[in-house]
Amino acid sequence: MEKSASSWTGPGAGKRVRQAPEGATRERRVAPGYRGSDHHGQFGADEFERRLQQVLNGERLGADKLEEVLKLGIPGGYKDRPVDGKLLHYALWRDANYQYSWMFAQPGKASFSLEQGACVKAVLDARADPNGMMYNLAFKHKQEIPAVIYSASLGHVLGIRQLVDRRVDVNVHAVMDGNPHYCAIHDAVFLEKPEAVRALLEAEADMNIKNKD
């Protein structure tokens, strides 16, 4: 049966959006997904962090480095599944977890004190493809996930707006086994990201667009 995002009737659609507790302990103050080499998202992420620091400090990266897909490159994966991605996707994850930037700070470098959204801006200014795809397997089906859908899944409003500024189509579909499947608005609703829903609607996302399910 087809479903549309129009079933959403307001912020949270009557459900409580899960948030981290205010009194989170110091031990838990680590960026989500960044848990060590035994967790998907750590191996390629180490290389992506090196490249991101280069871009933030004004070094030029060629297209081969900007668009290279690295295995297990995105901490936390996508919907908690391992995902292979590009530097832009890693930058979206970093900016979405802006409050943890201190984990990656390098004293004396330009990247030590960053404004929110600086990672994505630097990567896009370096001419990364704003439509870049991530790749994973979901229930043994091959998925291709555009950057704007990934940003919506994170609830990363600034990232959505930065991609829209680069003329990304907010109604672009993720692809499963070669077929169009769902859009950013579906992920934002399904994952209970009301601020992302608002940002997508402001960018003229079609709330009546159908997904394959």
Side-chain angles (χ1 to χ4, degrees), residues 16-176:
R16 295 180 63 188
V17 178
R18 292 183 296 274
Q19 296 179 340
E22 288 226 3
T25 63
R26 186 178 297 272
E27 290 74 16
R28 294 183 62 187
R29 287 182 59 80
V30 294
Y34 206 85
R35 306 174 193 169
S37 59
D38 61 338
H39 183 73
H40 58 256
Q42 181 67 40
F43 307 109
D46 291 338
E47 176 59 26
F48 277 149
E49 183 61 30
R50 283 190 286 271
R51 295 180 189 182
L52 180 59
Q53 295 293 339
Q54 288 178 293
V55 172
L56 287 168
N57 288 300
E59 298 180 40
R60 296 186 63 182
L61 289 185
D64 57 329
K65 299 294 186 183
L66 288 170
E67 304 301 337
E68 184 180 11
V69 176
L70 295 185
K71 293 284 185 182
L72 305 177
I74 313 302
Y78 171 68
K79 297 180 180 176
D80 207 34
R81 294 188 182 95
V83 66
D84 304 333
K86 300 181 180 182
L87 183 59
L88 174 59
H89 307 117
Y90 179 78
L92 284 164
W93 174 82
R94 280 276 266 108
D95 281 345
N97 293 285
Y98 175 76
Q99 68 269 36
Y100 301 103
S101 293
W102 57 269
M103 288 178 58
F104 309 94
Q106 294 187 2
K109 299 290 187 179
S111 57
F112 183 66
S113 179
L114 296 176
E115 293 183 0
Q116 195 164 6
C119 297
V120 171
K121 182 181 186 303
V123 172
L124 289 174
D125 286 349
R127 299 190 176 181
D129 179 6
N131 298 294
M133 294 281 193
M134 302 193 308
Y135 306 90
N136 78 343
L137 287 175
F139 306 107
K140 299 184 179 180
H141 298 286
K142 293 181 180 179
Q143 281 199 129
E144 301 173 33
I145 305 108
V148 70
I149 293 182
Y150 176 56
S151 194
S153 77
L154 296 170
H156 185 25
V157 171
L158 180 55
I160 292 170
R161 290 172 177 161
Q162 288 173 305
L163 294 170
V164 168
D165 286 346
R166 305 293 173 127
R167 300 181 184 276
V168 163
D169 180 5
V170 293
N171 294 312
V172 65
H173 282 78
V175 175
M176 181 176 284

Side-chain angles (χ1 to χ4, degrees), residues 8-17 189 192-195 197-198 201:
W8 183 77
T9 58
K15 297 182 179 180
R16 295 180 63 188
V17 178
V189 171
E192 300 181 1
K193 306 293 185 181
E195 296 300 326
V197 172
R198 290 192 193 94
L201 293 176

